[in-house]
Amino acid sequence: MEEQFILRVPPSVAEWIERLMNESVASSSNPDEASLDLSFLEDGRNGTFMIGNESFPSSLLDLPAVVESYKTYDDYVLIKTADVGQMIMVREENDPAPEGVEYKHGLTPPMRDARRRRFRREPDLNAELVNQVEKHLISIMHGVYVSILLFSSLATC
């Protein structure tokens, strides 16, 4: 399997990267302008993306759903190469950092606010009821209520 990630950059940085990829490094007058670097802080989620001499803040975010990546050698057969579940988001210096570790939108417009619109919500659980059920399950495991439940179910038949 290959290692892959999604790099989302602002339009100005995208143009810069595309220009660097289209021209040869040898033809560049200054090799420092052609350098790319990505480094993260100790938390592993926030970092800095360097392109040339400019730096941009970046964040590692979890996607709301796993995205599969494919490639082809003959334009007919697709071969799955990776499951991508995270994205590195590079932003301009004045843009606010995303809240939390999960990016609430997917990669395409139909996945806008995907976590809220497309996935089941977590049920609202009463903590007291959960504790009561947990105590009953533990007592059933120890054999306390087994005979009572067995006889009550036989009596209803």
Side-chain angles (χ1 to χ4, degrees):
M1 285 284 230
E2 297 177 356
E3 291 186 27
Q4 300 177 2
F5 62 91
I6 295 171
L7 180 66
R8 181 169 276 185
V9 296
S12 62
V13 177
E15 290 172 6
W16 196 348
I17 292 173
E18 185 176 4
R19 193 177 31 178
L20 287 176
M21 293 182 76
N22 288 335
E23 64 186 41
S24 171
V25 176
S27 67
S28 177
S29 60
N30 188 0
D32 291 336
E33 290 180 7
S35 66
L36 293 173
D37 185 42
L38 179 64
S39 60
F40 287 97
L41 301 175
E42 290 184 18
D43 66 354
R45 290 284 180 171
N46 298 309
T48 305
F49 178 77
M50 296 276 300
I51 181 167
N53 295 328
E54 290 193 43
S55 65
F56 298 91
S58 63
S59 299
L60 177 66
L61 302 170
D62 297 333
L63 293 172
V66 174
V67 178
E68 294 179 341
S69 172
Y70 293 89
K71 72 177 176 182
T72 182
Y73 294 109
D74 57 4
D75 293 331
Y76 293 107
V77 179
L78 292 175
I79 301 168
K80 181 178 175 180
T81 56
D83 287 327
V84 181
Q86 292 181 321
M87 168 180 65
I88 298 173
M89 179 179 277
V90 178
R91 55 191 190 281
E92 296 287 346
E93 198 67 41
N94 53 3
D95 290 344
E99 296 176 11
V101 297
E102 184 178 70
Y103 186 63
K104 68 179 189 174
H105 310 298
L107 298 176
T108 60
M111 289 294 287
R112 187 108 183 120
D113 205 10
R115 180 65 67 192
R116 183 183 60 82
R117 294 186 322 133
R118 297 189 183 266
F119 298 114
R120 187 180 311 152
R121 290 192 235 355
E122 291 185 18
D124 295 331
L125 297 176
N126 182 357
E128 185 178 315
L129 179 63
V130 171
N131 288 336
Q132 184 181 7
V133 170
E134 183 180 2
K135 288 178 185 176
H136 285 305
L137 286 174
I138 291 172
S139 61
I140 288 172
M141 288 172 47
H142 291 300
V144 174
Y145 289 127
V146 173
S147 59
I148 296 171
L149 291 174
L150 183 62
F151 289 124
S152 65
S153 63
L154 288 176
T156 58
C157 291

